[in-house]
């Protein structure tokens, strides 16, 4: 920079840039003047702007320093060369020796072979890359962090010029698939089940920023502070409205969100951007761009959620700064389905709940904060619909089929008819299920099966009553840890476990100790990345290395149980010695409580999860030390078949009804049965009626499943004649073949078992 690097340099550059923009004239001319200006101010021999054209191609639109004849001729695919790399990763790149970088792609028409160093940043708008801004130097130059920041700030201003549509048409800027008016279907992941039909309402149509470069940074800092204060009080009002049904984690989520709005780091970053010469709204958008770029890189679901919350907050802040309407004051169609790339929890609450019928997200996960809040509102949610924002337009008719994790865009008449029929059947099924809710899960010939629910959120607990389940067969204690802002102390944990036990009343609850690690990462706990986290430092491996953590959890469970039965289950037990070590810690904790005169649980039952195949050969020894066993079929299957359960390419490859899995399950049933110890199964398999038929034949009488599966399972069990099924089973179960599924399916269809 002419006056050396630093904020004042950035500010001066922005000022000059504003003059160029204000001069008017053709956009191309302003672009040409801009590259000249940037090259001069940043002491670079080259400054070039590449813009994204249809077909994911980056075209050189203006340059200072490269050969002029290359303008509008040089084109790179996204991902090709260094410029393409910056676009595909949406992140800056600064290289002192660019020519030896493996991604370097030489284009003779540009004459760039003489430039050694390169720094480039993406030009971002609404979370999408629309171009790349690059500077190059003849000598080897180490670009500083501040210089990268400056170039990013300039790129923001350029983004608005590009968005005007004069350089690249608006249609080209909005990538489409060319079949915008035809019906489409997108597959996603069901985050909240259900069916919905409605009109697409695109969340957050991009707000247009008029002024990016500040006249008076002091005034902008004041505007930013005022807007932050306004936003804070409006969030307080929104969250204290208290009109979401029930009590549970969504309050934790919203409380954390409220704390996020006060996050000093976030506020400081925006303030720094104001100091560099941006207006308050441009500063918010710049920090938002950074957040979005990080979101692309982060794979950890929890961290992505936090970043999504920040994105949400930035949108709110922009609305306050621009005096724009909040979504709730937008007129929603009578039946609206909100469509968003990602969304924070509070934004969902802005919408008129009487008209909001569903939510579809391009991103999102089960523990997405918005999904947790949506579950509290009981609206269907689909997540991870790829290219959603490119394929859905405002006003498109949509159908969400949560049962099949599918979104229909502009559905054809026959889809609509099918939808109407599904809705009708759903109502009928609901009525039929309601009628059997209080009837026992017993086969026609009198075999009783205990159907339990898997839970993790407090809001799951009322499902006990709604489904008539026999208890909570698996309470995943890590879930509250994952949605909390910081590590829950003993008091907080006690409170959660007590609420679970109170909610369950007389019904049994099995608490599983923390199963963190693998994909379940706690953000407040820094850990080294692992090559194979599913097989790494997780669950009781962590607990035994950090015994204080486990003891605190056990203490909280004892406090909560006080006088009641406490059932504890340890996850990922691999050898008997581990279970013994866990039991020792449990004993120490019981003694400690007794010494202190704290009321003890009425009884303590200890169980182990059978998830690691090694346990299959230690069952008799293990059974001497536990009161019960529960098979975690999700992990058992993943380890038995060496198939990552989270990798769709591997996860669907082997069936739970494959001979190897069935023999493993039969072995657990046989040995536990001989030892006279209760055993059950609590993986996804338990909720599948076909798999449940196999489990019944193998001797399983306790199944724990996702709450929505309980009533359909009860209906299936009540329609079975167990002895007839067993006769069939004995004929087929030793047959060759990859799976018994089709044989059992045939049986179910022939015998009209509701599936
Ligand atoms: C399992 O592995 O089957 C199980 C129930 O535990 P989780 O899905 O929480 O790993
Ligand atoms: Mg498991």
């Amino acid at each position: 920079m002419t006056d050396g690097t630093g904020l004042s340099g950035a500010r001066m550059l922005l000022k000059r840039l504003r003059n160029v923009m204000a001069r008017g004239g053709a956009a191309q001319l302003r672009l040409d003047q801009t590259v000249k200006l940037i090259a001069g101010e940043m002491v670079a021999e080259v400054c070039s702007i590449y813009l994204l054209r249809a077909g994911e191609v980056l075209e050189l639109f203006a340059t200072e320093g490269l050969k002029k004849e290359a303008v509008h001729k040089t084109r790179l695919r996204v991902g090709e060369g260094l410029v393409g790399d910056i676009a595909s990763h949406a992140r800056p790149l600064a290289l002192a020796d660019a020519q030896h970088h493996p991604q370097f792609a030489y284009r003779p028409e540009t004459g760039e072979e003489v430039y050694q160093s390169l720094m480039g940043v993406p030009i971002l708008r609404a979370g999408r890359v629309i171009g790349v801004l690059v500077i190059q130097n003849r000598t080897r130059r180490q670009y500083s962090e501040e210089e990268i920041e400056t170039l990013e700030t300039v790129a923001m201003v350029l983004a608005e010029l590009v968005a005007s549509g004069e350089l690249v048409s608006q249609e080209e800027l909005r990538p489409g698939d060319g079949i915008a008016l035809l019906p489409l279907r997108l597959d996603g992941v069901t985050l909240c089940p259900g069916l919905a039909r409605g009109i697409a309402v695109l969340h957050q149509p991009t707000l247009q920023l008029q002024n990016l470069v500040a006249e008076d940074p002091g005034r902008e800092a004041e505007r930013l502070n005022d807007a932050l204060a306004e936003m804070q009080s409006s969030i307080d009002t929104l969250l204290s409205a208290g009109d979401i049904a029930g009590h549970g984690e969504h309050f934790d989520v919203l409380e954390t969100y409220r704390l996020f709005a006060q996050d000093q780091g976030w506020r400081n970053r925006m303030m720094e951007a104001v100091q560099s010469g941006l207006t308050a709204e441009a500063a918010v958008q710049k920090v938002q761009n950074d957040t979005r770029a990080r979101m692309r890189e982060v794979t950890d679901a929890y961290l992505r959620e936090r970043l999504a919350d920040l994105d949400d907050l930035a949108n709110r802040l922009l609305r306050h700064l621009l005096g724009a309407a909040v979504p709730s004051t937008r007129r929603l169609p009578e039946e609206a389905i909100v469509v968003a790339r990602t969304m924070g929890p509070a934004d969902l609450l802005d919408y008129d709940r009487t008209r909001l019928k569903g939510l579809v997200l391009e991103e999102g996960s089960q523990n997405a904060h918005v999904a947790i809040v949506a579950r509290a509102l009981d609206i269907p949610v689909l997540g991870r619909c790829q290219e959603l924002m490119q394929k859905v337009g405002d006003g498109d008719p949509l159908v969400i089929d949560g049962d099949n994790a599918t979104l229909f865009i502009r559905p054809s008449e026959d889809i609509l008819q099918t939808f109407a029929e599904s809705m009708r059947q759903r109502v009928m099924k609901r009525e039929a299920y309601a009628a059997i809710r209080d009837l026992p899960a017993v086969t026609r010939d009198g075999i009783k099966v205990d159907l339990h629910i898997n839970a993790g959120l407090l809001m799951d607990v009322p499902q006990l009553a709604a489904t008539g389940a026999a208890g909570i067969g698996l309470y995943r204690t890590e879930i509250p840890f994952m949605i909390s802002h910081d590590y829950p102390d003993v008091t907080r944990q006690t409170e959660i476990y007590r609420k679970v036990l109170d909610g369950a009343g007389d019904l049994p609850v099995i608490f599983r100790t923390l199963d963190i690690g693998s994909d379940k990462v706690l953000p407040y706990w820094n850990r080294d990345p692992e090559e194979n986290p599913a097989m790494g430092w997780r669950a009781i491996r962590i607990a035994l290395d950090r015994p204080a953590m486990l003891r605190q959890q056990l203490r909280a469970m004892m406090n909560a149980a006080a006088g009641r039965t406490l059932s504890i289950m340890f996850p990922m037990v691999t050898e008997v010695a581990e279970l013994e070590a866990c039991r020792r810690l449990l004993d120490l904790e019981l003694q400690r409580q007794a010494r202190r005169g704290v009321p003890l649980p009425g009884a303590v039952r200890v169980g182990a999860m059978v998830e690691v195949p090694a346990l299959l050969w230690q069952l008799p020894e293990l059974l001497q030390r536990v009161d019960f066993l529960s098979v975690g079929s999700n992990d058992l299957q993943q380890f038995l078949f060496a198939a990552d359960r989270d990798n769709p390419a591997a996860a669907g490859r082997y069936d739970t009804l494959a001979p190897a899995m069935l023999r493993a399950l039969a072995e657990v049933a046989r040995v536990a049965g001989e030892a006279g110890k209760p055993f059950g199964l609590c993986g996804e398999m338990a909720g599948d009626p076909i798999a449940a038929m196999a489990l019944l034949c193998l001797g399983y009488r306790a199944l724990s499943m996702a709450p929505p599966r309980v009533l359909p399972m009860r209906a299936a069990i009540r329609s079975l004649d167990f002895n007839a099924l067993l006769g069939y089973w004995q004929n087929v179960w030793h047959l060759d073949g990859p799976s018994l599924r089709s044989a059992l399916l045939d049986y179910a269809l022939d015998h009209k078992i509701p599936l």
Side-chain angles (χ1 to χ4, degrees):
M1 312 279 305
T2 43
D3 67 339
T5 53
L7 296 178
S8 58
R11 202 180 285 171
M12 192 185 323
L13 172 54
L14 275 185
K15 244 190 174 150
R16 296 201 171 136
L17 194 59
R18 187 185 55 193
N19 292 341
V20 170
M21 296 294 163
R23 249 178 249 155
Q28 178 70 50
L29 187 70
R30 277 181 282 164
L31 214 55
D32 294 339
Q33 290 168 341
T34 302
V35 285
K36 204 177 175 105
L37 174 72
I38 300 170
E41 294 284 323
M42 298 199 71
V43 201
E45 279 91 29
V46 176
C47 175
S48 314
I49 294 170
Y50 295 79
L51 297 184
L52 191 70
R53 307 291 319 248
E56 302 281 280
V57 173
L58 292 152
E59 178 178 311
L60 180 64
F61 256 72
T63 185
E64 171 69 16
L66 297 184
K67 290 187 188 159
K68 292 281 184 248
E69 51 271 32
V71 173
H72 298 302
K73 290 219 178 60
T74 293
R75 293 175 141 229
L76 293 153
R77 274 177 288 106
V78 169
E80 182 188 1
L82 297 171
V83 170
D85 192 69
I86 293 164
S88 69
H89 291 100
R91 62 163 184 232
L93 202 60
L95 301 167
D97 181 8
Q99 303 208 357
H100 290 102
H101 190 278
Q103 280 282 60
F104 182 77
Y106 173 54
R107 286 301 165 94
E109 74 274 12
T110 61
E112 65 183 332
E113 62 276 18
V114 294
Y115 303 108
Q116 292 210 41
S117 325
L118 175 146
M119 168 167 74
V121 297
I123 304 175
L124 295 159
R125 194 146 198 289
R128 285 200 311 109
V129 176
I130 55 170
V132 175
L133 172 63
V134 179
I135 61 170
Q136 286 172 278
N137 281 77
R138 202 178 284 271
T139 53
R140 282 188 178 218
R141 173 170 168 190
Q142 302 285 352
Y143 300 102
S144 69
E145 279 296 321
E146 273 168 334
E147 286 168 323
I148 298 177
E149 283 267 323
T150 302
L151 207 60
E152 283 183 321
T153 307
V154 171
M156 264 203 54
V157 179
L158 278 175
E160 296 309 308
L161 178 64
V162 179
S164 71
E166 219 180 309
L167 295 157
V168 178
S169 72
Q170 296 284 7
E171 291 77 65
E172 224 178 306
L173 283 174
R174 181 182 187 276
D177 52 12
I179 49 167
L181 296 173
L182 294 177
L184 272 178
R185 74 172 263 178
L186 283 186
D187 291 327
V189 173
T190 301
L191 304 182
C192 189
L195 292 177
R197 178 182 168 176
I199 299 298
V201 173
L202 294 192
H203 179 62
Q204 296 299 340
T206 313
L207 293 166
Q208 198 74 37
L209 302 195
Q210 302 296 347
N211 301 319
L212 294 143
V213 183
E215 295 276 355
D216 173 2
R219 169 83 195 101
E220 294 304 312
E222 249 173 59
R223 286 184 64 228
L224 181 62
N225 277 329
D226 290 350
L228 279 164
E230 250 180 52
M231 179 185 77
Q232 189 68 49
S233 79
S234 78
I235 290 177
D236 289 347
T237 315
L238 179 76
L239 303 193
S240 59
D243 53 351
I244 319 177
H247 290 272
E249 287 75 11
H250 53 284
F251 283 120
D252 284 354
V253 162
L254 295 172
E255 194 48 46
T256 304
Y257 180 89
R258 193 200 306 259
L259 289 175
F260 247 57
Q262 297 160 7
D263 186 89
Q264 213 44 51
W266 182 58
R267 290 175 172 225
N268 288 347
R269 285 201 300 283
M270 291 188 292
M271 212 38 103
E272 272 166 25
V274 162
Q275 300 305 343
S276 77
L278 290 175
T279 57
E281 47 270 43
V284 176
Q285 203 172 69
K286 175 163 189 298
V287 174
Q288 188 181 34
N289 280 343
D290 296 344
T291 311
R292 288 178 172 176
R294 269 190 74 201
M295 269 167 81
R296 287 166 179 259
E297 304 285 310
V298 171
T299 50
D300 172 47
Y302 189 95
L303 211 52
R304 289 177 69 83
E305 265 323 296
R306 290 290 175 238
L307 292 172
D309 287 353
L310 273 185
D311 192 64
D312 186 17
L313 282 165
N315 285 331
R316 277 174 180 272
L317 196 52
L318 281 176
R319 287 203 300 263
H320 283 286
L321 280 163
L322 298 171
V326 296
S328 59
T329 56
R330 274 175 72 189
R331 258 181 65 83
L332 286 188
E334 206 129 297
E335 300 198 312
I337 293 185
V338 171
V339 175
R341 201 165 49 80
T342 157
M343 198 184 195
D347 261 8
L348 188 66
L349 298 180
D350 279 334
Y351 287 98
D352 174 352
R353 272 159 245 173
T354 59
R355 297 180 163 221
L356 180 65
K357 300 295 171 211
L359 172 68
V360 195
L361 301 170
E362 191 163 310
E363 306 194 347
S365 63
Q366 284 296 343
N367 294 324
H369 297 164
V370 70
I372 291 171
V373 173
R375 282 199 281 268
L377 299 177
D378 196 22
I379 56 166
V381 185
L382 273 192
R384 291 203 239 143
C385 289
Q386 282 189 9
E387 301 188 338
L388 174 73
M389 300 311 282
Q390 298 169 26
K391 299 202 160 147
V392 177
D394 227 356
D396 277 344
L398 300 178
V399 164
I400 296 178
D401 175 359
D403 295 348
N404 297 300
T406 306
L407 173 71
F408 294 96
I409 306 166
R410 301 174 289 276
S412 55
E413 197 45 45
D414 51 331
I415 298 276
L416 288 177
Q417 270 175 19
T418 314
F419 172 83
E421 178 56 20
S422 302
M423 277 304 261
R424 205 177 59 79
Q425 286 192 3
R426 217 180 165 79
V427 171
M428 273 167 52
K429 262 191 182 166
R430 256 198 196 163
E431 284 165 1
Y433 289 155
I436 60 165
R437 197 195 60 181
D438 299 322
L439 299 178
V442 49
T443 64
R444 280 163 45 194
D445 48 349
I447 302 292
K448 186 170 172 293
V449 186
D450 286 333
L451 303 182
H452 299 263
I453 60 166
N454 293 344
L457 295 170
L458 282 176
M459 69 175 77
D460 294 329
V461 179
Q463 289 296 324
L464 278 173
T467 61
I472 299 180
L474 167 66
Y475 182 83
R476 292 181 163 107
T477 58
E478 62 276 5
I479 308 283
F481 280 71
M482 289 168 72
I483 58 168
S484 174
H485 188 52
D486 42 25
Y487 195 91
D489 60 12
V490 177
T491 314
R492 177 84 190 99
Q493 289 186 52
T494 305
E495 213 176 284
I496 297 170
Y497 306 144
R498 186 174 291 136
K499 278 187 188 157
V500 175
L501 287 171
D502 290 350
D506 292 337
L507 299 176
V509 177
I510 299 179
F511 288 105
R512 175 175 76 181
T513 62
L514 272 186
D515 185 11
I516 46 170
S518 188
D519 60 329
K520 298 164 184 164
V521 178
L522 308 183
Y524 34 83
W525 193 19
N526 286 333
R527 298 185 39 187
D528 294 333
E530 297 180 68
E531 287 266 322
N532 288 306
M535 295 193 288
W537 199 50
R538 58 174 285 198
I540 57 162
R541 298 174 186 179
I542 298 178
L544 292 175
D545 289 348
R546 300 273 186 279
M549 216 172 89
L550 178 59
R551 283 190 63 170
Q552 279 182 9
Q553 191 175 27
L554 296 172
R555 193 178 312 157
M557 288 175 184
M558 288 172 194
N559 289 341
R564 299 182 271 201
T565 298
L566 174 62
S567 298
I568 300 170
M569 177 156 78
F570 295 104
M572 287 290 290
V573 179
T574 308
E575 53 184 25
V576 174
E578 289 171 342
L579 193 273
E580 279 185 331
C582 290
R583 285 206 79 128
R584 270 198 299 280
L585 292 174
L586 178 65
D587 287 341
L588 285 175
E589 207 46 54
L590 277 169
Q591 288 158 17
R592 178 185 187 275
Q593 298 284 87
R595 268 200 316 277
R596 293 175 175 234
V598 181
L600 295 176
V604 180
R605 293 174 71 241
V606 174
M609 287 193 77
V610 182
E611 302 180 280
V612 182
L615 266 195
L616 295 173
W617 290 274
Q618 305 168 73
L619 289 171
E621 297 81 0
L622 181 71
L623 280 156
Q624 287 169 22
R625 294 160 174 90
V626 293
D627 301 303
F628 63 94
L629 289 183
S630 185
V631 177
S633 55
N634 307 336
D635 274 313
L636 182 62
Q637 187 188 19
Q638 119 162 311
F639 296 124
L640 203 57
F641 294 106
D644 185 346
R645 64 191 259 192
D646 293 322
N647 178 347
R653 209 174 176 94
Y654 307 101
D655 193 20
T656 41
L657 299 182
M661 186 74 177
L662 292 177
R663 283 176 207 178
L665 294 169
E667 184 62 4
V668 175
R670 185 184 67 78
V671 185
E674 276 171 20
K677 295 276 166 82
F679 62 95
L681 187 139
C682 63
E684 292 305 307
M685 184 180 182
D688 165 9
I690 296 288
M693 283 162 57
L695 291 168
L696 249 58
C697 293
L698 292 173
Y700 286 76
R701 297 290 180 268
L703 303 175
S704 192
M705 61 202 74
R709 300 305 313 152
V710 173
L711 287 173
M713 186 60 78
R714 189 190 305 278
I717 286 172
R718 289 182 60 82
S719 66
L720 271 175
D721 181 332
F722 175 70
N723 276 301
L725 172 67
L726 191 62
Y728 178 77
W729 170 261
Q730 277 157 352
N731 285 329
V732 295
W733 104 281
H734 275 298
L735 294 184
D736 271 354
S739 166
L740 274 179
R741 184 166 299 275
S742 60
L744 288 172
L745 187 60
D746 287 347
Y747 182 92
L749 294 176
D750 288 349
H751 293 80
K752 304 212 169 11
I753 312 298
L755 299 176

